[in-house]
Amino acid sequence: MTKAQKTQIIKRKFLMHYGDAKTELQYSNLYELLVAVMLSAQCTDKRVNLITPALFEAFPSIHLLAQANLSDVKALIKSCSFFNNKATHLIAMAQKVVQEFQGIIPSTQQELKSLPGVGQKTANVVLIEYFGANFMAVDTHVFRVSHRLGLTQAKTAQKTEEELVKLFQDNLHALHQGFVLFGRYICKAVTPNCKDCFVSDLCKTKKNFKPQ
């Protein structure tokens, strides 16, 4: 079996199982999604979902977040990893949106990446989830799954993203969501649930890959 053939089988199976998958982050608009994704960096979605209700109650709009006191934001997100930096980035992000984008969160990758605290992965996740954009975002789950399946040997998340985009080409938003959920609940880092795996025949290794 060629790599191209294997890729198409993996693609078809993931779209069959996760074609309608969505993020587990809880949000009601683009502002809340962006904030939640920023908080989710190196933090679980479950933890973020515990934090955001009080945060959004205190700052229900981008304009109010832009005017927030740093210590108030820190207090609301203190159970989140790297909360000091994230609080600073959240306020700076909101201020830039208000000052340079008339209070409207941008909807392109480059404009999102221009915001403080928003890298390519965060921008892509927002675009994938909210707009169904044809992007791939590589978190620890996507990195591990793609390496275990032998789709890439790239050492970094960025290079892995590039290779997956080249391999899959389309339906990237669904494949990203599928890889995340598959990695979170089946192809887990330490104890993968191989008995429930629908691509076990294509698995190369159970090694716990992590980006450098």
Side-chain angles (χ1 to χ4, degrees):
M1 182 187 303
T2 67
K3 186 172 183 178
Q5 290 172 327
K6 178 180 178 179
T7 297
Q8 289 306 307
I9 292 172
I10 291 171
K11 181 178 182 179
R12 183 173 67 252
K13 289 189 174 185
F14 269 87
L15 291 177
M16 184 183 304
H17 283 81
Y18 297 107
D20 298 321
K22 297 290 185 180
T23 183
E24 293 185 314
L25 292 170
Q26 296 171 1
Y27 69 95
S28 59
N29 52 51
L30 182 55
Y31 158 65
E32 291 185 0
L33 175 62
L34 176 56
V35 169
V37 176
M38 290 176 68
L39 289 173
S40 72
Q42 300 186 59
C43 185
T44 66
D45 288 2
K46 183 178 180 180
R47 169 57 53 187
V48 173
N49 289 337
L50 292 174
I51 293 169
T52 50
L55 180 65
F56 295 147
E57 182 178 3
F59 307 107
S61 71
I62 196 82
H63 293 86
L64 290 174
L65 182 60
Q67 300 168 21
N69 181 280
L70 180 60
S71 61
D72 291 340
V73 176
K74 285 183 179 181
L76 288 165
I77 69 169
K78 63 183 179 182
S79 64
C80 187
S81 56
F82 306 103
F83 72 93
N84 286 310
N85 286 338
K86 288 179 179 178
T88 300
H89 286 151
L90 285 174
I91 294 174
M93 175 277 292
Q95 290 173 342
K96 184 163 185 176
V97 170
V98 169
Q99 294 165 5
E100 299 187 18
F101 295 96
Q102 294 74 53
I104 300 173
I105 294 172
S107 57
T108 69
Q109 185 193 65
Q110 287 306 118
E111 287 176 328
L112 281 170
K113 286 169 61 177
S114 75
L115 302 176
V118 179
Q120 182 156 312
K121 186 185 80 172
T122 297
N124 286 3
V125 170
V126 169
L127 294 170
I128 287 167
E129 172 64 23
Y130 202 79
F131 298 101
N134 193 45
F135 285 106
M136 175 62 68
V138 177
D139 67 357
T140 182
H141 300 300
V142 176
F143 190 89
R144 181 174 64 256
V145 170
S146 60
H147 282 71
R148 282 179 172 173
L149 289 174
L151 292 170
T152 177
Q153 296 181 358
K155 302 297 184 183
T156 66
Q158 178 64 42
K159 185 63 177 177
T160 298
E161 177 190 324
E162 293 172 5
E163 294 191 5
L164 291 178
V165 169
K166 185 176 180 181
L167 281 172
F168 290 127
Q169 298 185 22
D170 56 25
N171 289 293
L172 298 179
H173 65 293
L175 292 167
H176 160 76
Q177 303 285 23
F179 274 42
V180 169
L181 295 177
F182 181 74
R184 185 173 292 161
Y185 297 111
I186 297 178
C187 195
K188 296 180 284 187
V190 180
T191 54
N193 187 13
C194 299
K195 65 181 178 61
D196 291 331
C197 178
F198 54 85
V199 285
S200 57
D201 57 323
L202 301 172
C203 184
K204 300 285 289 185
T205 176
K206 294 180 184 178
K207 180 181 176 183
N208 181 20
F209 292 92
K210 296 181 179 180
Q212 294 181 355

